[in-house]
Amino acid sequence: MIALVVTVPASEAEVAADALWALGVLAVEERDHPDTDEGMVELWTSLGDDAGHVRKAAEGLPSRWRWRTVEVDDAVADTWRAHAVPSWITPDLVVVPDWFDADVAVGGGPDATVLRIDPGSAFGLGDHPTTVLTLRALRGLLWPDATVLDVGCGSGVLSVGAAVCGASYVEAIDVSVAAVAATRDNAERNGVAGRVTASTTALADVDGPFDIVCANILAPTLVDLASDLRRVTAPAGVLVVSGVLADAHDHVVAALAPMRVVDRLVREGWAAIVLRH
Ligand SMILES: C[S@@+](CC[C@H](N)C(=O)[O-])C[C@H]1O[C@@H](n2cnc3c(N)ncnc32)[C@H](O)[C@@H]1O
């Protein structure tokens, strides 16, 4: 698979790692490299095997950060799987890596709703704070028969979660073909394939409106997509955006005006913001 390696000053490692997390990666590893200049560190990550997608994402990073791609052995790239654990979203909803032992997973009791997710090479095992917050918000907002649009579906964890929690129809879109494939697989895995449609349709080409729209994407992308996010949210509907830092998202809220913030959920420095017309 293709690894993306971003070289940044050590003082910017944290902000660069945040930028990579929000791009939709499964893991970020900081490495010192003998050939790396003094005071610089390398951040290794993966954005899947679509070279064009990786290049496009990397070109969106600040131009002062150098980047390159490296071919990595799949077996080495998959070592994170051994460390994956279930993520409790609410006391009665858990996201479980599909290869994880089921008995351990249902520790919350027999009534817990279990989502089985294999992200493949897409983002979204359900453990990232932005995913936890968005799924938690969806769980609280969903009503029977609500329609949902998931913009930047990654593995489909939010789409599949919404369908399992009662949405009548979920449209999932992503720029990445790996994400579309993973979303279809995960919908099938959780018995909701009949209610989840996944594609690479651009948001601008989605008609809508939807009762609930969620978008867990990097802040600059949310700003770019703001007018379409407003358009596809039904007049009485609700929009949940995440992928933003808890103390740096005023510009995203401003771009979405005149929608107004009705709730904010925060976890580990990340936020999910709930808005209505
Ligand atoms: C942070 S991941 C979120 C994945 C999943 N929704 C979750 O919460 O775990 C962001 C996703 O947005 C996708 N993405 C980035 N820009 C996009 C755009 N303009 N339109 C649709 N999807 C986009 C990425 O490919 C990635 O899969």
Side-chain angles (χ1 to χ4, degrees):
M1 74 187 295
I2 303 171
L4 171 65
V5 184
V6 183
T7 307
V8 301
S11 59
E12 291 193 80
E14 201 171 327
V15 70
D18 281 349
L20 292 171
W21 279 117
L23 263 181
V25 302
L26 290 164
V28 178
E29 187 188 339
E30 188 176 318
R31 291 189 194 174
D32 291 320
H33 192 279
D35 298 337
T36 308
D37 300 340
E38 182 115 9
M40 305 290 278
V41 293
E42 287 185 343
L43 298 178
W44 285 65
T45 193
S46 167
L47 287 166
D49 283 340
D50 180 340
H53 173 60
V54 175
R55 169 170 289 276
K56 198 168 155 215
E59 284 172 354
L61 295 170
S63 54
R64 64 181 183 282
W65 298 341
R66 295 198 314 268
W67 61 270
R68 68 184 198 279
T69 55
V70 177
E71 279 290 336
V72 181
D73 187 293
D74 280 1
V76 175
D78 265 0
T79 49
W80 63 272
R81 285 178 175 261
H83 307 290
V85 291
S87 302
W88 287 91
I89 307 301
T90 59
D92 61 352
L93 176 62
V94 62
V95 179
V96 180
D98 191 44
W99 55 95
F100 201 85
D101 181 86
D103 293 340
V104 182
V106 193
D111 296 334
T113 300
V114 178
L115 300 182
R116 293 208 150 267
I117 297 294
D118 187 330
S121 59
F123 177 96
L125 190 55
D127 56 344
H128 193 268
T130 57
T131 309
V132 173
L133 293 175
T134 309
L135 193 48
R136 192 174 287 168
L138 288 177
R139 173 74 155 179
L141 290 164
L142 269 165
W143 60 91
D145 293 337
T147 58
V148 175
L149 173 66
D150 178 10
V151 183
C153 57
S155 66
V157 58
L158 301 177
S159 300
V160 171
V164 167
C165 292
S168 61
Y169 171 69
V170 183
E171 183 158 346
I173 59 171
D174 202 294
V175 289
S176 153
V177 286
V180 171
T183 297
R184 289 180 183 152
D185 285 350
N186 284 316
E188 188 82 45
R189 184 170 280 122
N190 289 276
V192 293
R195 284 184 284 134
V196 177
T197 301
S199 71
T200 53
T201 307
L203 178 59
D205 296 328
V206 173
D207 286 339
F210 292 81
D211 297 321
I212 300 176
V213 177
C214 60
N216 178 14
I217 316 189
L218 194 63
T221 308
L222 291 173
V223 170
D224 286 349
L225 298 178
S227 68
D228 278 314
L229 289 170
R230 275 196 307 268
R231 175 182 61 79
V232 294
T233 305
V238 59
L239 169 65
V240 183
V241 294
S242 194
V244 298
L245 297 174
D247 57 3
H249 60 254
D250 289 352
H251 62 303
V252 176
V253 172
L256 290 165
M259 291 190 85
R260 64 202 158 79
V261 176
V262 295
D263 200 7
R264 277 175 220 258
L265 294 78
V266 172
R267 183 182 171 103
E268 294 173 34
W270 295 91
I273 305 160
V274 183
L275 303 103
R276 288 185 185 272
H277 286 291

